[in-house]
């Protein structure tokens, strides 16, 4: 490690004094102008992690669904997964170190993690379409270079595409080719083969409107569409040619406001979907004949996918298991439907895809989705073995095994991926002959409301039981319990956000009015018991 060079270059990416950031569920995220030093340092850290694991590591520059002025950075571990927990701590230490402490912190990390500094390092870098992203990704590469590492700059990529590249490079090409062409071909081939098996792929299955949040998803979907156009035609909206990134559009807007994005003309019963700003989330929706808006969120996506996969598993008749992983934000109706009607076991983890991903790996088929539309399905080697052995099986079973094989190729195994999920969903709808209304009708969502409360220090709230119960501050959980009792079919919980300086409140109940009241009352309890700052929480009717 050339400490002199590190000090010299670090000064060119100096840390604004006093700024303290935390590596949270989505890496570092804040206003773009505060991030230059973080990017340089994450380049250093990625090089160390690559040396330690003797593998390619990824760095993605994006702030996903946050406003255009923000940016962020996330490290991608060798199998496409989120950074290991001990390295998240190193990331926080390194990002917050004052200039004069940088050398010591780097040496500390190298010693603690037994990094062989002589080892080569290779880092791949991707970025979204934010105006600040190009320069910030350059700072990442500066960091990698100063530590003597090599890099490949993929330039503009969706977040899941970067995960895919990392995964491909560390599995000796067995998973796929680590190029955009490789990604497009792998997914499209699987999709087109699946669609061919649909007996009822009439016109109504052939077209889909996609709101791209004015982000990277638009560019990449446009590059990809001709690869799968024989199976599906997509019409892109909010493609970045006019509007602002994530402004009044995108999956996060649609899910949290429970209304359609601006800039998209929706006729009744047309199937539509929205990506978020870095294309790792997707939600579907439509307008019914009466003009009512229907949201089909990550929970209903998980239901569609897991019921289809369960049918395929039953077809090939093996005792392979399937499980669905959700978070506390999953709609109560979805959990009930999965457990009681579909008889699929459901597990709840903490918020943040790394927790869901980890749990899903315990099953032969693990389907995980956050309600906000971030998720995928993972498959064990036992499933792949079964498919390989299917040559000897009877015709019907062989067909199911073939479908499963294509589905596995179509799902991004490295991360939740809006493009990949969209193609899986489109294929399943066509194969099952389901309209968007029939899909929506699987169960009815319980009305719900999500709110944010500002507090002086959100760490005063700690939780247990996969974030469904507050442990501290004292009295808060009791207050929530009392409020919940006042409503029917109700549930509420609070947790500190991992990506924003707020406490999130979630409530659901038998009517929208009740869910709104309950969410407001719980917000007031948080404000009073957890050190609220600023204005007291307003009733929901004043906010929307
Ligand atoms: P936080 O801010 O911790 O609630 C949000 C989402 C997560 C996840 C991360 C990363 C909700 C309620 N929370 O986390 O699900 O997607 O951002 O982007 O949607
Ligand atoms: Zn995202």
């Amino acid at each position: 490690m050339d400490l002199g060079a590190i000090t010299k270059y670090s000064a060119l990416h100096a840390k604004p004094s006093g700024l303290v950031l935390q590596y949270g569920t989505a890496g570092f995220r804040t206003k773009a102008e505060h991030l230059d030093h973080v990017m340089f340092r994450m380049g250093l850290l990625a090089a160390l992690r690559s040396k330690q694991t003797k593998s390619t590591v990824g760095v993605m520059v994006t702030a996903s669904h946050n406003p255009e002025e923000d940016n962020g950075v996330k490290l991608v571990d060798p199998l496409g997964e989120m950074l290991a927990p001990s390295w998240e701590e190193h990331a926080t230490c390194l990002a917050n170190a004052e200039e004069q402490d940088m050398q010591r912190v780097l040496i500390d990390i190298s010693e603690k993690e037994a990094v062989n500094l002589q080892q080569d390092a290779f880092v791949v870098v991707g970025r979204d379409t934010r105006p600040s992203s190009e320069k910030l990704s350059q700072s990442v590469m500066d960091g990698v270079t100063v530590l003597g590492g090599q890099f490949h700059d993929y330039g503009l990529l969706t977040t899941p595409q970067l995960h895919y590249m990392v995964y491909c490079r560390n599995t000796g090409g067995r998973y796929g080719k680590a190029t955009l062409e490789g990604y497009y071909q792998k997914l499209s081939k699987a999709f087109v083969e699946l669609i061919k098996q649909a007996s009822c792929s009439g016109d109504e299955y052939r077209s889909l409107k996609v709101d791209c949040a004015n982000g990277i998803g638009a560019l990449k979907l446009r590059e990809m569409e001709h690869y799968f156009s024989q199976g599906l035609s997509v019409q892109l909206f909010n493609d970045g040619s006019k509007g602002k990134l994530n402004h009044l559009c995108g999956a996060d807007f649609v899910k949290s406001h429970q209304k359609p994005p601006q800039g998209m003309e929706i006729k009744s019963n047309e199937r539509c979907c929205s990506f978020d700003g870095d294309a790792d989330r997707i939600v579907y929706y439509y307008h019914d004949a009466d003009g009512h808006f229907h949201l089909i969120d990550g929970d209903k996506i998980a239901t569609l996918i897991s019921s289809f996969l369960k049918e395929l598993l039953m077809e090939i008749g093996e005792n392979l298991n399937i499980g669905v992983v959700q978070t506390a934000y999953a709609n109560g109706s979805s959990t009930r439907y999965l457990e009681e009607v579909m008889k699929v076991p459901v597990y709840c983890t903490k918020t943040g895809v790394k927790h869901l991903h980890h749990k899903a790996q315990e099953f032969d088929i693990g389907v995980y989705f956050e309600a906000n539309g971030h998720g995928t399905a993972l498959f064990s080697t036992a499933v792949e073995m079964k498919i390989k052995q299917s040559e000897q099986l009877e015709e019907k079973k062989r067909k199911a095994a073939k479908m499963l094989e294509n589905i596995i190729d179509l799902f991004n195994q490295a991360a939740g991926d809006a493009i990949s999920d969209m193609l899986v969903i489109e294929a399943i709808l066509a194969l099952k002959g389901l309209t968007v209304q029939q899909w929506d009708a699987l169960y009815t969502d319980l009305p719900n409301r999500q709110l944010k409360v500002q507090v002086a220090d959100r760490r005063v709230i700690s939780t247990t039981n996969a974030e469904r119960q507050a442990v501290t501050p004292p009295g808060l959980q009791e207050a929530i319990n009392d409020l919940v009792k006042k409503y029917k079919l109700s549930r509420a919980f609070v947790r500190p956000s991992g990506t924003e300086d707020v406490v999130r409140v979630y409530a659901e109940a038998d009517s929208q009015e009740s869910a709104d009241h309950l969410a407001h009352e719980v917000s007031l309890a948080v404000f009073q018991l957890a050190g609220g700052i600023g204005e007291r929480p307003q009733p929901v009717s004043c906010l929307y």
Side-chain angles (χ1 to χ4, degrees), residues 250-264:
D252 193 64
F253 172 85
V254 172
K255 167 75 181 159
S256 50
H257 292 80
Q258 307 188 12
K259 62 181 184 199
Q262 283 196 1
M264 188 176 204

Side-chain angles (χ1 to χ4, degrees), residues 168-400:
C168 288
R169 282 174 180 267
N170 290 317
T171 46
R174 283 188 305 282
Y175 183 63
K177 271 181 76 181
T179 59
L180 272 173
E181 177 75 18
Y183 172 93
Y184 294 145
Q185 276 181 352
K186 180 178 165 101
L187 269 61
S188 303
K189 182 168 170 279
F191 174 72
V192 171
E193 277 187 20
L194 266 173
I195 281 280
K196 272 194 221 145
Q197 301 181 56
S199 49
C200 43
S201 51
D203 280 352
E204 82 178 281
Y205 298 106
R206 292 204 177 277
S207 70
L208 172 69
K209 290 187 166 174
V210 187
D211 154 33
C212 299
N214 289 316
I216 183 72
L219 271 66
K220 299 299 148 183
L221 198 51
R222 193 144 276 155
E223 279 172 20
M224 187 179 185
E225 65 182 320
H226 72 271
Y227 288 85
F228 59 71
S229 53
Q230 62 187 114
L232 175 72
S233 97
V234 285
Q235 217 183 327
L236 309 193
F237 296 83
N238 299 321
D239 65 355
S241 53
K242 321 189 268 289
K244 217 175 157 185
L245 178 68
N246 296 327
H247 183 60
L248 305 176
C249 61
D252 193 64
F253 172 85
V254 172
K255 167 75 181 159
S256 50
H257 292 80
Q258 307 188 12
K259 62 181 184 199
Q262 283 196 1
M264 188 176 204
E265 193 197 309
I266 307 178
K267 299 203 193 83
S268 68
N269 295 329
E270 262 178 351
R271 206 163 66 252
C272 306
C273 67
S274 284
F275 292 180
D276 74 338
D278 61 341
D280 61 1
R281 293 190 193 177
I282 183 167
V283 294
Y284 271 71
Y285 45 92
Y286 68 99
H287 271 145
D288 66 22
D290 299 327
H292 291 130
F293 174 75
H294 294 250
L295 174 69
I296 303 181
D297 66 3
D299 304 332
K300 222 164 241 180
I301 293 174
T303 306
L304 178 78
I305 290 171
S306 53
S307 64
F308 184 72
L309 290 174
K310 190 179 174 196
E311 277 172 31
L312 288 184
L313 271 192
M314 307 248 282
E315 201 75 71
I316 54 178
E318 276 305 302
N319 38 10
L320 295 168
N321 63 37
I322 178 166
V324 174
V325 188
Q326 305 184 316
T327 71
Y329 291 100
N331 195 279
S333 294
S334 75
T335 315
R336 201 191 62 80
Y337 181 84
L338 283 162
E339 285 178 335
E340 291 173 20
V341 182
M342 278 178 45
K343 311 275 184 228
V344 172
V346 181
Y347 300 83
C348 184
T349 69
K350 287 202 258 181
T351 304
V353 278
K354 69 173 177 202
H355 301 294
L356 291 108
H357 193 95
H358 191 70
K359 184 73 193 170
Q361 285 172 327
E362 290 178 14
F363 306 94
D364 290 313
I365 299 185
V367 179
Y368 72 86
F369 268 87
E370 292 189 308
N372 62 30
H374 192 167
T376 189
L378 304 177
F379 301 85
S380 72
T381 43
V383 179
E384 283 170 7
M385 294 286 288
K386 187 71 218 160
I387 291 168
K388 286 213 183 83
Q389 294 156 3
S390 68
E391 306 280 285
Q392 292 98 42
L393 299 177
E394 64 201 68
E395 162 82 20
K396 209 167 154 221
K397 291 187 174 180
R398 247 193 354 251
K399 210 174 146 199

Side-chain angles (χ1 to χ4, degrees), residues 26 29 62-66 74 159-160 275-281 374 416:
R29 240 180 238 188
T62 180
S64 183
H65 56 276
N66 284 36
K74 197 161 69 174
T159 297
F275 292 180
D276 74 338
D278 61 341
D280 61 1
R281 293 190 193 177
H374 192 167

